[in-house]
Amino acid sequence: SSGINAEYGKEEEELRREKRKRSSTSESDSALGNDPKKVPSTQPLDNPPKSAALVHVHQHESAALAHVHQHESAPPSHVDQNENSANRRALEADEETPHTGPDDENRPSRGYEYCDHTADIQVHAWGSSLKEAFEECCIGMFGYMTDISTVQASDTFSLQAEGQDMESLLFHFMDEWLYAFCVEPFFIPNEINILEFDEQNFKISCEGYGEPFDLNKHPQGTEVKAITYSAMQIKQHDKGWDVYVIVDI
C-alpha cells in the first residue's frame, strides 16, 4: 500500500509541475492585470530576503477550498506574542545557526530553517507535535518568499487539505497555501493554526492570519514554484517531530 501511494504521489507531482509550466506564463497577465499592488516588480531590493524573483500565477488542478474574511475584532493574542514567532525571529537573526537536530539543547521547541539542496531549497521544520511541525514548515515556505515580519495579521484565511497518507497530506497542506498566495486575494500569512488534524483519515482544517501580498509593503523574495515529494521526511522522536520538504524555486 505504501509503495502504491508513493508511486501515486510521484505521478501526481509530475502532472502538477508540468501543468504549471504550461499555464503560468499565459495566465499571469490576465489573472493579475496591471495593479501595482499585485504585479510583482523586477526592481532590485536593497536587502532582499534571498534572491529577487518574479512571483507567477500558476493554474491549480482543483477548486480552492478556502475563503478569506476580515477580523471582526483583533486577531488572537497569541499571533504576535507566541513562542512560534519569537523562535523564528531568533533563528532568522543568526545567519550562523547550524542545521539543528532534536539533540541540540539550544534548539527552540518549534521553528524552521533552510537547508541548501542543489537548485532547490529544503525547509526543515520541527515542533513538539506533528501539528506544530506542519505549521512551521508552511510558514517557513512563506518566509522564503518575503519577510513575514512585515505581514500584518488583519485577515483570516481558512482552508482544508487531505491526502492518502501523511506525506501526501503534508504535500497538499503546503500546496493549498501556496495556491492561496498565487491567486486572488494573493494571501500571505504570518501565522498558521491547524484547528483540526485527523491523523487517521489524513485531513486538516486550518486558518492563517495575514493579509493580501503587496509589493509596496512586503519585500519580494524568492519564488516558490511548487511543493515536491523529493526526499520528503516526517520523523518522530522523543522530543517531538521533524519534517523536511524540498520546494521547487
Side-chain angles (χ1 to χ4, degrees), residues 152-219:
Q152 181 179 0
S154 57
D155 299 337
T156 297
F157 194 98
S158 303
L159 61 77
Q160 299 172 338
E162 58 183 80
Q164 293 77 40
D165 53 27
M166 200 57 70
E167 287 76 16
S168 63
L169 178 59
L170 177 56
F171 175 93
H172 289 293
F173 172 64
M174 296 183 67
D175 188 58
E176 290 290 348
W177 277 111
L178 180 59
Y179 175 57
F181 175 77
C182 292
V183 300
E184 289 280 4
F186 308 104
F187 189 83
I188 186 163
N190 62 12
E191 296 292 345
I192 292 174
N193 182 26
I194 295 178
L195 305 174
E196 297 180 12
F197 199 142
D198 187 341
E199 297 184 25
Q200 299 299 318
N201 298 304
F202 309 113
K203 296 181 180 180
I204 283 176
S205 294
C206 59
E207 62 184 17
Y209 312 116
E211 61 186 341
F213 184 77
D214 183 351
L215 278 171
N216 293 323
K217 179 178 181 181
H218 308 124

Side-chain angles (χ1 to χ4, degrees), residues 91 93-99:
L91 287 174
D94 183 5
E95 296 181 356
E96 301 301 322
T97 300
H99 297 164

Side-chain angles (χ1 to χ4, degrees), residues 27-42 53-58 68 145 155 180-188 211-221 223:
E27 298 207 0
S28 296
D29 294 339
S30 60
L32 291 175
N34 295 316
D35 188 342
K37 291 185 177 181
K38 299 171 183 175
V39 180
S41 170
T42 56
L54 183 64
V55 179
H56 293 292
V57 171
H58 60 261
V68 62
M145 294 191 283
D155 299 337
F181 175 77
C182 292
V183 300
E184 289 280 4
F186 308 104
F187 189 83
I188 186 163
E211 61 186 341
F213 184 77
D214 183 351
L215 278 171
N216 293 323
K217 179 178 181 181
H218 308 124
Q220 181 179 324
E223 174 192 12

